[in-house]
């Protein structure tokens, strides 16, 4: 009863297996609102129990789950005959090629990457539910049709036998003929009766409708006139042999209409014998299955091609690669796999909508097909990712020329729905023999090269190298460990004292993040912080740092160690995030820390990216009561006209100018100019990277307010910094 209600009142039944409650609710609400009947399972064990009680039409399955993970769930489902046909779409927060390869090998039909896009979820769910329903309906309909053909053939054979037995019984014969005539005339399947020699003696209206021949046109003609000829000669010979041997044959044939067109049909042919056991007639029942064959052809096409562009998908690409590799080895050539990704394609979808984005992908697919030629292969792997498979000589001249043509061609403006769109692309290339000899290995290495092409500026191509692979693997290892670092309590905040150059006292500190991972060891900030920004983790890490610093400030104040101000660095994404100001306010309130004890440091490049927007953001932060420092001043592209508008409290002289301040007149001039400029704008100046007494004395003599650097102290942990405060160390102590 539940199944009947579900099928009548929804677009289909979907099981979502997701251990993250927020993601589970998001997907459930989205699909329910779209008309699906949704069931939920927060883990693999419950998912397996649920599908056994009532199989859904589609499963959205998270890969990373405690206990039984998504791969094991999929493996068990595919091993169960009753559940093996349920389509599975994997959900993953990681864009890992190995995971995709493993998932497709286990029988998954698709992958959806986190964070989820509503349109993508609905489009892929709709497509796979429709496909599953179509396949199920076709299988059921075919079985039903075959059963009908078999039943009707048996029925007609029985009627023919009865006709022979009751030929002397007129009354019974008339009744039999009446019933037979009704069946003969009313059935939607074509029926043809021949004599023992194969000459047509009768046919029904359905035969005329399907074949185009009227009854009087074929009566007395040989049934072979309906045969498709050479196009189906092998099947015809098998059919004749079966009729002679067993008296029955059924299967698919190619038939010919009156107008000469051929079409596929499902035929059941039986022999009718007389009372002496001799062949008296042949009865054929067949139906036109051209529409069903077309539907099956579409299903087969979609299983090997991308629905949007019509390009081969990964499954077909693998097959074509293997064929091209065999030929290349025979000819002492190589095969190059090129992974192409459109640069910043998400901005096109965000700016113009997904319809325009889809049309742009179709235009790109057409261009790539024309550009690579008929001898090479273009595939689409999903999103804005394409693969190109090229056979080339060992010098790779054709491959490099093709990459250059593609890059140049995609720089041209595209006109789509009155929108002028400019796209560029990045290409990674891996070559057989040197970079691998399997499709999966070459794709993985080409993806690595693509990563490097994007890293060095996009709109170019890069060949794979082993060093590049090691660097990418190192970054992936950092990314993998970085995601759980906060939960595993692996971060620690160090503090570098900031000294007053006039009094020599500690007046503040800069908070510096340190990461000690049990697998990777101590990871330098210049390695993990850029990756945190790239992978969208820097906001959560920044919030953790801010909370840790505020908690530590409260501890020091409660211990009577003085009114120490601590500066915390804000990443660019935090600076422009509307949630940053409320979070700073709430954190200060939660830890009962006055705003004047917290400073926020922002780099020059961050504020100069969009100066007008930066002014508004700085004013919101300044309104809280915290001080604002502009870090790395002088290293970028400062505009003095904007600087005077920024509500900045402190300018920091970059270490690159301090290093040679006593020996390089240019560095000294820049440092003194910063000091003068800052004081004229009522700002304080802090010099970074002070490492010698000479540097310190020069800065003090020329009016610099504060300094930080190894001359006084390296960054230390909270306990060591508290020790410095207790000792009341100052610059005079070191003289």
């Amino acid at each position: 009863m539940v199944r009947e209600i579900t099928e009548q009142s929804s677009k289909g039944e979907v099981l979502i297996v997701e251990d993250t409650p927020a993601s589970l609710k998001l997907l459930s609400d989205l699909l329910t609102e779209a008309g699906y009947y949704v069931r939920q399972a927060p883990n693999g064990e419950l998912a397996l129990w649920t599908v056994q009680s009532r199989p859904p039409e589609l499963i959205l399955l998270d890969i990373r789950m405690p206990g039984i993970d998504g791969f094991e769930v999929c493996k068990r489902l595919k091993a169960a005959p009753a559940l093996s046909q349920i389509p599975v779409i994997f959900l993953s927060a990681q864009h890992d090629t190995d995971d995709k390869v493993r998932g497709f090998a286990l029988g998954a039909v698709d992958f959806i990457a986190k964070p989820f896009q509503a349109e993508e979820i609905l489009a892929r769910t709709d497509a796979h539910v429709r496909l599953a329903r179509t396949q199920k309906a076709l299988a059921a309909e075919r079985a039903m049709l075959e059963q009908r053909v078999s039943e009707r053939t048996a029925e007609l054979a029985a009627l023919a036998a009865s006709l022979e037995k009751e030929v002397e019984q007129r009354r019974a014969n008339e009744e039999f003929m009446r019933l037979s005539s009704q069946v003969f005339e009313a059935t939607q399947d074509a029926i043809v009766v021949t004599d023992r020699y194969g000459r047509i003696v009768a046919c029904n209206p359905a035969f005329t409708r399907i074949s185009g021949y009227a009854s009087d046109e074929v009566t007395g003609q040989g049934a072979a006139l309906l045969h498709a000829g050479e196009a189906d000669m092998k099947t015809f010979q098998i059919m004749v042999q079966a009729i002679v041997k067993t008296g029955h044959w059924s299967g698919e044939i190619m038939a010919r209409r009156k107008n000469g067109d051929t079409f596929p049909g499902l035929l059941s042919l039986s022999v009718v014998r007389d009372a002496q056991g001799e062949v008296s007639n042949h009865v054929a029942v067949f139906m036109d299955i051209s529409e069903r064959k077309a539907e099956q052809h579409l299903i087969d096409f979609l299983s090997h091609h991308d629905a949007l562009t019509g390009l081969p998908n990964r499954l077909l690409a693998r097959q074509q690669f293997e064929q091209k590799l065999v030929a290349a080895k025979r000819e002492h050539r190589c095969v190059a796999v090129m992974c192409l990704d459109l640069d910043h394609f998400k901005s096109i979808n965000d700016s113009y909508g997904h319809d325009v984005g889809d049309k742009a992908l179709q235009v790109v697919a057409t261009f790539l097909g024309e550009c690579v030629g008929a001898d090479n292969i273009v595939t689409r792997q999903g999103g804005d990712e394409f693969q190109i498979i090229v056979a080339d000589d060992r010098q790779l001249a054709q491959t490099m020329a093709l990459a250059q043509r593609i890059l140049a061609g995609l720089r041209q403006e595209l006109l789509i729905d009155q929108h002028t769109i400019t796209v560029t692309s990045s290409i990674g290339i891996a070559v057989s023999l040197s970079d691998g000899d399997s499709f999966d290995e070459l794709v993985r290495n080409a993806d690595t090269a693509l990563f490097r092409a994007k890293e060095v500026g996009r709109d170019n191509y890069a060949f794979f190298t082993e060093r590049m692979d090691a660097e990418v693997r190192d970054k992936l290892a950092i990314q993998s460990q970085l995601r759980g670092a906060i939960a595993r309590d692996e971060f620690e905040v160090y503090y570098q004292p900031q000294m007053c150059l006039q009094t020599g006292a500690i007046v503040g500190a800069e908070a510096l993040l340190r990461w000690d991972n049990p697998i990777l060891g101590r990871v330098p900030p210049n390695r993990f912080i850029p990756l945190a920004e790239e992978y969208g983790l820097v906001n959560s890490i920044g919030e953790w740092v801010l909370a840790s610093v505020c908690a530590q400030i409260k501890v020091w104040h409660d211990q009577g160690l003085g009114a120490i101000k601590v500066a915390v660095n804000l990443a660019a994404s935090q600076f422009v995030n509307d949630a940053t100001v409320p979070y700073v306010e709430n954190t200060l309130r939660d830890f009962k820390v006055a705003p004047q004890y917290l400073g926020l440091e922002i780099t020059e490049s961050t504020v100069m990216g969009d100066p007008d927007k930066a002014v508004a953001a700085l004013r919101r932060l300044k309104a809280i009561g915290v001080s604002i420092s502009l870090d790395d001043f002088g290293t970028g592209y400062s505009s003095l006209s904007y600087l005077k508008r920024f509500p900045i409290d402190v300018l920091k002289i970059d270490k690159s100018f301090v290093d040679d301040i006593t020996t390089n007149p240019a560095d000294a001039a820049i440092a003194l100019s910063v000091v003068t400029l800052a004081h004229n704008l009522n700002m304080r100046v802090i010099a970074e990277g002070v490492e010698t007494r000479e540097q310190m004395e020069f800065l003090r003599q020329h009016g610099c307010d504060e300094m930080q650097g190894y001359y006084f102290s390296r960054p230390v942990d909270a306990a060591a910094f508290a020790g410095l405060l207790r000792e009341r160390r100052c610059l005079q102590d070191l003289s």
Side-chain angles (χ1 to χ4, degrees), residues 229-509:
E230 290 295 328
D232 203 31
M233 184 57 68
K234 185 176 180 180
T235 302
F236 181 75
Q237 292 171 348
I238 294 173
M239 177 182 67
V240 170
Q241 292 172 3
I243 287 295
V244 172
K245 184 176 181 179
T246 67
H248 180 76
W249 183 86
S250 63
E252 291 187 14
I253 63 165
M254 290 299 295
R256 188 181 303 278
R257 304 186 203 275
K258 181 180 179 180
N259 62 8
D261 293 342
T262 58
F263 65 98
L266 188 62
L267 171 67
S268 180
L269 180 62
S270 297
V271 168
V272 178
R273 300 182 182 275
D274 58 20
Q276 289 73 39
E278 298 294 330
V279 175
S280 61
N281 298 94
H282 299 92
V283 177
V285 179
F286 72 95
M287 62 187 68
D288 182 353
I289 59 171
S290 54
E291 290 185 3
R292 289 162 181 76
K293 294 290 285 187
E295 291 173 354
Q296 184 61 48
H297 177 75
L298 177 60
I299 292 172
D300 292 341
F301 179 85
L302 292 177
S303 67
H304 292 86
H305 292 79
D306 171 55
L308 178 64
T309 64
L311 294 175
N313 61 14
R314 190 179 186 86
L315 179 62
L316 183 56
R318 184 190 302 277
Q319 298 171 1
Q320 294 176 330
F321 168 83
E322 297 295 343
Q323 297 169 1
K324 192 169 283 291
L325 183 63
V326 170
K329 287 181 177 179
R330 187 170 56 247
E331 299 167 1
H332 304 290
R333 291 160 60 84
C334 61
V335 176
V337 173
M338 307 169 67
C339 287
L340 180 148
D341 190 78
L342 300 179
D343 299 331
H344 306 298
F345 185 75
K346 182 177 182 298
S347 63
I348 294 178
N349 285 331
D350 293 342
S351 301
Y352 304 107
H354 287 276
D355 287 343
V356 172
D358 287 347
K359 291 179 181 178
L361 290 174
Q362 291 171 337
V363 171
V364 170
T366 301
F367 163 76
L368 291 176
E370 295 172 348
C371 190
V372 305
D375 293 336
N376 300 315
I377 302 164
V378 181
T379 73
R380 179 176 178 240
Q381 302 308 303
D384 59 333
E385 301 174 10
F386 296 85
Q387 286 177 1
I388 302 165
I389 303 172
V390 182
D392 203 351
D393 57 31
R394 296 176 184 268
Q395 303 304 315
L396 299 174
Q398 180 182 345
T399 300
M400 289 187 287
L402 177 59
Q404 292 167 358
R405 288 201 306 274
I406 291 173
L407 292 174
L410 288 178
R411 293 189 193 108
Q412 306 301 316
E413 291 184 343
L414 306 178
L415 182 61
I416 300 176
D417 291 349
Q418 284 85 45
H419 300 292
T420 301
I421 298 174
T422 302
V423 297
T424 60
S425 61
S426 300
I427 301 173
I429 307 172
V431 183
S432 65
L433 303 181
S434 62
D435 303 329
D437 212 20
S438 72
F439 181 71
D440 292 335
E441 188 176 8
L442 288 175
V443 168
R444 182 172 63 251
N445 291 338
D447 275 334
T448 299
L450 173 62
F451 183 89
R452 173 53 58 88
K454 290 184 176 182
E455 192 176 49
V456 298
R458 304 177 187 269
D459 193 20
N460 57 20
Y461 67 89
F463 282 89
F464 171 80
T465 66
E466 290 185 2
R467 178 180 176 185
M468 181 189 303
D469 183 47
E471 291 176 357
V472 171
R473 289 182 183 276
D474 180 60
K475 289 183 178 181
L476 291 176
I478 293 176
Q479 175 198 2
S480 175
Q481 293 298 314
L482 194 58
R483 291 191 180 279
I486 293 177
R488 295 190 299 268
D489 196 26
E490 294 174 0
F491 287 129
E492 184 177 5
V493 178
Y494 273 45
Y495 300 87
Q496 185 170 41
Q498 294 174 334
M499 314 298 299
C500 175
L501 281 165
Q502 301 306 314
T503 66
I506 300 175
V507 293

Side-chain angles (χ1 to χ4, degrees), residues 137-189:
L138 286 173
E141 185 175 0
R142 184 184 182 107
M144 180 184 70
L145 290 174
E146 291 178 347
Q147 178 66 24
R148 284 172 51 199
V149 168
S150 178
E151 290 175 354
R152 290 179 180 177
T153 300
E155 179 182 327
L156 289 171
L159 288 174
S162 298
L163 182 62
E164 289 291 324
K165 292 179 181 179
E166 299 176 8
V167 67
E168 300 299 327
Q169 301 178 15
R170 181 182 181 84
R171 185 174 179 181
N173 185 55
E174 290 177 354
E175 180 64 17
F176 173 78
M177 290 300 295
R178 186 183 67 81
L179 293 174
S180 297
S181 176
Q182 288 181 346
V183 173
F184 196 73
E185 296 292 326
T187 183
Q188 297 300 304
D189 300 328

Side-chain angles (χ1 to χ4, degrees), residues 604-615:
E604 177 186 0
S605 59
T606 297
V607 296
M608 294 308 298
D610 187 345
D612 292 329
K613 188 174 183 179
V615 169

Side-chain angles (χ1 to χ4, degrees), residues 59-137:
I59 297 176
L60 301 182
L61 178 58
D62 189 20
I63 293 180
R64 311 295 180 199
M65 296 186 295
I68 300 177
D69 66 10
F71 290 134
E72 182 60 23
V73 172
C74 185
K75 180 179 178 181
R76 296 188 186 183
L77 287 174
K78 298 304 178 182
L83 308 175
S84 62
Q85 298 304 311
I86 302 174
V88 175
I89 299 178
F90 274 128
L91 309 175
S92 175
Q94 300 184 14
H95 302 267
D96 192 315
T97 302
D98 291 339
D99 281 354
K100 293 183 178 180
V101 170
R102 184 179 176 188
F104 284 124
L106 289 172
V109 299
D110 208 345
F111 266 79
I112 299 178
K114 301 178 181 178
F116 300 124
Q117 299 293 327
E119 295 86 354
E120 181 184 19
I121 291 291
L122 292 177
R124 296 195 182 191
T125 300
D126 289 345
H128 287 293
V129 168
R130 287 198 303 270
L131 183 59
R133 285 188 169 183
T134 300
Q135 291 174 328
K136 182 178 178 181

Side-chain angles (χ1 to χ4, degrees), residues 430-607:
V431 183
S432 65
L433 303 181
S434 62
D435 303 329
D437 212 20
S438 72
F439 181 71
D440 292 335
E441 188 176 8
L442 288 175
V443 168
R444 182 172 63 251
N445 291 338
D447 275 334
T448 299
L450 173 62
F451 183 89
R452 173 53 58 88
K454 290 184 176 182
E455 192 176 49
V456 298
R458 304 177 187 269
D459 193 20
N460 57 20
Y461 67 89
F463 282 89
F464 171 80
T465 66
E466 290 185 2
R467 178 180 176 185
M468 181 189 303
D469 183 47
E471 291 176 357
V472 171
R473 289 182 183 276
D474 180 60
K475 289 183 178 181
L476 291 176
I478 293 176
Q479 175 198 2
S480 175
Q481 293 298 314
L482 194 58
R483 291 191 180 279
I486 293 177
R488 295 190 299 268
D489 196 26
E490 294 174 0
F491 287 129
E492 184 177 5
V493 178
Y494 273 45
Y495 300 87
Q496 185 170 41
Q498 294 174 334
M499 314 298 299
C500 175
L501 281 165
Q502 301 306 314
T503 66
I506 300 175
V507 293
E510 180 180 359
L512 300 168
L513 184 61
R514 297 293 182 264
W515 180 27
D516 196 356
N517 179 266
I519 296 175
L520 304 175
R522 177 61 67 91
V523 185
N526 62 353
R527 285 180 63 200
F528 74 82
I529 290 179
L531 291 178
E533 293 177 343
E534 181 178 348
Y535 298 129
L537 303 174
V538 74
N539 285 354
S540 58
I541 293 175
E543 291 178 354
W544 180 90
V545 171
L546 185 64
S548 300
V549 168
C550 288
Q552 189 60 61
I553 293 173
K554 182 65 166 59
V555 170
W556 288 334
H557 286 188
D558 291 345
Q559 293 174 349
L561 295 179
I564 297 300
K565 176 182 291 185
V566 181
V568 176
N569 291 281
L570 277 188
S573 60
Q574 289 179 277
F575 179 64
V576 299
N577 192 331
D578 292 336
T580 296
V581 172
Y583 184 79
V584 172
E585 290 179 311
N586 294 336
T587 304
L588 289 169
R589 183 173 58 252
D590 292 344
F591 290 100
K592 298 181 174 57
V593 173
Q596 61 265 31
Y597 297 122
L598 177 66
L600 298 177
E601 288 195 5
I602 302 156
T603 63
E604 177 186 0
S605 59
T606 297
V607 296

